[in-house]
Amino acid sequence: MVTYIIRRLIGALAMLFIVSAVTFSIFFVVPRLAGVTPDDIANRYVGRAATAETVQAVAQKLGLHDPVVVQYGRWVKGVFVGSEYDYGTGVEQCPAPCLGYSFVTKQPVWPDLVDRLPVTLSLAAGASVIWLVIGVSVGVLSALKRRSVFDRGAMIIALAGVSLPPFFTGLVALSLLSYGLGITAPGGAYTPLTENPGMWAYNLILPWLTLAFLNAAAYARLTRAGMLDTMGEDYIRTARAKGLKESKVIGKHGLRAALTPIVTIFGLDVGILVGGAILTENAFSLQGLGKYATTAIAANDLPKIMGFTMLAAFFIVVANLIVDLLYAVVDPRVRLS
């Protein structure tokens, strides 16, 4: 098991290296092929009012004329040991992990990401618990009550859930529950968990439900399909023939075998969500990583986009690693193999 974990860790680090190299190439190699010069990039730092000599001097100090491999090596070094930047107004120290400086604000990217992270983590934690509990529960009940009114109704709602985009359901929920009935908090409200747990949950309950509606629908359909396949297996009939309680047959033998695909998509969904719930955060005006990413894209702020991409990739790779380790817990056959 230790060897397996070490092997997976090495694979995760290799994947992050590949993602960083590809992302860096997209942001700094492709523009060159499109005719963007190093001076054009330096001009984003110093502003349009700067003289041509100032722009060239800053481009030289930033190393933008260096080969792309050298620039990428300098960026990787900054992630681990920090870096220095000189925009013509003095040397700026960027401590590790240094993901560069914003073109617009001239501030380090990493502290901005850390400031936005609690909002996205809160959104991901609450929504994932809700959609996992509701989705799996509805899927199990639908499988046990196959072709009943409950089954058909649940699957119709699930179909609507996976079909409607979150920004649509979010805006409808805001209009009805927040601005219409005044039951939930308005968009943009967020209170840190450490300050007031009650207000933290109250402000996020509507975004949680919006995200949970989308994902719980998919989980319900997947759980139902898995349970229908599992409950017809020979070992289920054997467990019933032994006289085991139906709840034990369903929970220990049926559901556990059907959880393998659920664990897979749950880990990836949470990793993607932590990387930035872009549509939901924009619908509710939450200042998380998703809102940060859309603002950076609109401003063509490459260092911010690069930093967000790497942080999102990190969460997805870590989630994938955890899923691989959980396989052995959920399915004993994985341990044996």
Side-chain angles (χ1 to χ4, degrees):
M1 190 65 179
V2 174
T3 303
Y4 174 77
I5 294 175
I6 293 175
R7 189 167 66 247
R8 293 301 301 167
L9 285 174
I10 294 175
L13 292 175
M15 181 59 65
L16 286 175
F17 172 76
I18 293 173
V19 170
S20 67
V22 172
T23 306
F24 192 90
S25 299
I26 292 174
F27 289 152
F28 293 96
V29 176
V30 175
R32 286 192 177 187
L33 299 178
V36 177
T37 65
D39 290 348
D40 294 331
I41 299 177
N43 195 47
R44 298 299 307 276
Y45 281 109
V46 297
R48 297 180 179 178
T51 62
E53 292 77 10
T54 301
V55 172
Q56 293 176 358
V58 170
Q60 193 68 34
K61 291 179 180 179
L62 291 175
L64 297 178
H65 290 282
D66 295 339
V68 175
V69 176
V70 176
Q71 294 185 49
Y72 175 69
R74 189 184 302 120
W75 182 85
V76 172
K77 178 184 176 182
V79 172
F80 290 100
V81 300
S83 185
E84 294 180 350
Y85 287 83
D86 189 347
Y87 310 117
T89 58
V91 177
E92 296 283 347
Q93 297 292 333
C94 183
C98 179
L99 299 177
Y101 277 77
S102 166
F103 285 160
V104 178
T105 65
K106 307 299 188 294
Q107 298 299 316
V109 172
W110 176 250
D112 286 345
L113 293 174
V114 173
D115 290 341
R116 304 294 186 100
L117 188 57
V119 179
T120 303
L121 285 178
S122 300
L123 183 62
S128 60
V129 171
I130 294 174
W131 86 54
L132 182 64
V133 173
I134 295 178
V136 173
S137 301
V138 171
V140 171
L141 292 176
S142 295
L144 298 178
K145 300 179 181 294
R146 187 181 183 187
R147 295 174 182 168
S148 65
V149 176
F150 176 84
D151 179 31
R152 297 183 187 279
M155 290 303 102
I156 290 175
I157 296 175
L159 180 61
V162 297
S163 302
L164 296 174
F167 68 84
F168 174 78
T169 55
L171 292 177
V172 171
L174 272 174
S175 299
L176 295 178
L177 300 178
S178 181
Y179 301 116
L181 301 177
I183 299 175
T184 58
Y190 175 76
T191 302
L193 175 63
T194 54
E195 291 184 7
N196 191 329
M199 287 300 298
W200 170 78
Y202 174 73
N203 290 334
L204 291 175
I205 187 63
L206 203 56
W208 285 346
L209 293 177
T210 300
L211 273 177
F213 179 60
L214 170 67
N215 290 281
Y219 280 58
R221 293 171 63 88
L222 185 60
T223 304
R224 179 182 181 273
M227 285 294 293
L228 288 176
D229 291 339
T230 302
M231 296 306 289
E233 295 290 341
D234 291 338
Y235 66 87
I236 297 294
R237 287 191 288 269
T238 302
R240 284 172 172 161
K242 288 181 177 180
L244 294 178
K245 293 181 179 181
E246 187 66 15
S247 59
K248 194 170 185 178
V249 173
I250 295 171
K252 184 176 181 180
H253 299 281
L255 180 59
R256 186 174 182 181
L259 279 181
T260 302
I262 299 297
V263 170
T264 302
I265 65 169
F266 181 71
L268 295 178
D269 284 344
V270 172
I272 293 172
L273 185 58
V274 172
I278 295 178
L279 296 179
T280 303
E281 289 182 4
N282 278 275
F284 290 94
S285 299
L286 293 173
Q287 301 301 316
L289 293 177
K291 185 73 173 178
Y292 180 84
T294 54
T295 304
I297 292 171
N300 195 23
D301 200 340
L302 295 184
K304 282 188 175 182
I305 302 173
M306 179 78 177
F308 168 80
T309 303
M310 288 307 305
L311 186 62
F314 171 79
F315 282 121
I316 293 173
V317 169
V318 170
N320 210 358
L321 176 63
I322 295 174
V323 165
D324 289 341
L325 299 179
L326 286 178
Y327 277 153
V329 178
V330 175
D331 192 346
R333 294 173 297 181
V334 175
R335 266 200 308 268
L336 293 176
S337 62

